[in-house]
């Protein structure tokens, strides 16, 4: 199988200024994500996991070093160009779902498709298909308050998949879930990866991390192993 390098991070450093103090969140990290990867990023709180995900998505840019997404240097792109790239090529899954409470599951999944100007009929069909893919065919018209935490997370995963991204990034996707729901999300991620979805997941959950194809640990802004 031919594998494409989706993101290449080369000795990336990220500093933040807090008043007169400079906080170094990442310290010369290098990592490559290829098509078909399922990479778990573990490490304690404050170790730099979320910062690394932000660099992979182009939400943030490195202070030093280089991050290339499908060959493009993210630091050389405008904020608007990086946002457009995220819309087309990156699916984001968050710990707290970030679903709009007044919208149904179907309408929440349609949001990125609407932003990408997919025609109404096509986006309805695609949103329906991706919700079916994550096992929610019978919950299309339910609003978040009518769904369990695990079901809300599956809606959020479906939304991340809606634009058929090259890469799905998940930040603590099981942090709000009980153990049984967390295991179901892991099973879903493994199924998605087996059918071609490329995943990078930041997690404290070592059982979840053990289910990924490979794992790195970030400690004090560096890759420990």
């Amino acid at each position: 199988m031919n594998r494409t390098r989706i993101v290449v991070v080369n000795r990336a450093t990220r500093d933040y200024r807090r008043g007169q103090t400079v906080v170094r969140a990442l310290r010369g990290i290098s990592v490559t994500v290829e098509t078909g990867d399922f990479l778990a990023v573990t490490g304690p709180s404050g170790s730099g996991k979320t910062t690394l995900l932000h660099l992979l998505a182009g939400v943030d840019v490195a202070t030093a070093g280089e991050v290339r997404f499908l060959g493009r240097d993210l630091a050389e792109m405008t904020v608007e160009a990086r946002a457009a790239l995220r819309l087309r090529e990156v699916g984001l899954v968050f710990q707290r779902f970030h679903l709009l409470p007044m919208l149904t599951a179907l309408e929440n999944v349609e949001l990125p498709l609407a932003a990408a100007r997919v025609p109404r009929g096509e986006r309805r069909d695609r949103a329906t298909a991706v919700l079916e893919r994550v096992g929610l065919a019978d919950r299309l018209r339910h609003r978040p308050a009518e769904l369990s935490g695990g079901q809300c997370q599956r809606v959020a995963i479906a939304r991340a998949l809606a634009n058929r991204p090259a890469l799905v990034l998940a930040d603590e996707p099981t942090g709000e879930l009980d153990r049984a729901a967390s295991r179901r999300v892991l099973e879903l991620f493994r199924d998605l990866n087996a059918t071609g979805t490329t995943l990078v997941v930041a997690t404290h959950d070592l059982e979840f991390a053990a289910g990924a194809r490979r794992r790195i640990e970030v400690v004090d802004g560096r890759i420990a192993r």
Side-chain angles (χ1 to χ4, degrees):
M1 173 182 172
N2 292 328
R3 290 165 62 88
T4 300
R5 290 184 171 188
I6 298 175
V7 188
V8 178
V9 182
N10 184 25
R11 300 183 60 81
T13 293
R14 185 63 176 101
D15 296 339
Y16 296 99
R17 184 171 292 279
R18 295 178 181 169
Q20 300 300 312
T21 303
V22 174
V23 177
R24 179 150 289 179
L26 293 178
R27 303 167 182 266
I29 275 187
S30 296
V31 63
T32 297
V33 180
E34 298 182 332
T35 52
D37 271 347
F38 180 3
L39 172 65
V41 183
T42 63
S45 295
S47 62
K49 300 189 302 297
T50 296
T51 301
L52 177 58
L53 258 61
H54 286 175
L55 293 190
L56 295 178
V59 172
D60 202 355
V61 294
T63 306
E66 183 180 63
V67 181
R68 288 188 171 272
F69 196 110
L70 294 175
R72 300 181 66 183
D73 187 341
L74 293 178
E76 295 181 352
M77 299 171 65
T78 65
V79 171
E80 293 78 12
R82 293 200 308 273
L85 181 142
R86 270 194 307 280
L87 181 62
R88 295 190 310 272
E89 303 290 356
V90 181
L92 297 172
V93 180
F94 304 97
Q95 177 176 337
R96 296 190 175 176
F97 320 139
H98 296 311
L99 302 177
L100 295 183
M102 74 291 296
L103 300 183
T104 66
L106 186 63
E107 290 165 340
N108 268 286
V109 174
E110 284 187 271
L111 285 175
L113 296 168
R117 300 183 179 180
V118 174
R120 182 178 179 83
E122 182 182 348
R123 68 177 184 248
R124 181 60 51 98
D125 290 344
R126 282 170 57 176
T128 299
V130 77
L131 281 164
E132 291 172 350
R133 187 178 179 191
V134 301
L136 292 176
D138 59 343
R139 294 290 188 271
L140 302 183
R141 306 295 176 184
H142 289 62
R143 290 181 171 81
E146 301 169 311
L147 300 171
S148 69
Q151 288 170 337
C152 284
Q153 189 57 287
R154 281 190 276 164
V155 174
I157 292 166
R159 183 183 55 194
L161 296 170
N163 271 332
R164 300 166 182 164
L167 176 65
V168 173
L169 301 173
D171 194 2
E172 299 290 353
T174 61
E176 298 282 310
L177 306 180
D178 62 28
R179 177 54 56 195
S182 295
R183 286 173 175 162
R184 286 193 291 271
V185 169
L186 172 59
E187 289 170 5
L188 172 59
F189 273 40
R190 293 183 72 175
D191 288 345
L192 292 170
N193 180 246
T195 56
T197 302
T198 303
L199 299 157
V200 177
V201 181
T203 183
H204 283 100
D205 185 338
L206 297 184
E207 182 179 343
F208 191 102
R213 287 181 182 268
R214 63 186 181 106
R215 170 185 166 189
I216 60 173
E217 182 179 8
V218 179
V219 178
D220 293 330
R222 295 185 175 93
I223 294 178
R225 60 176 177 174

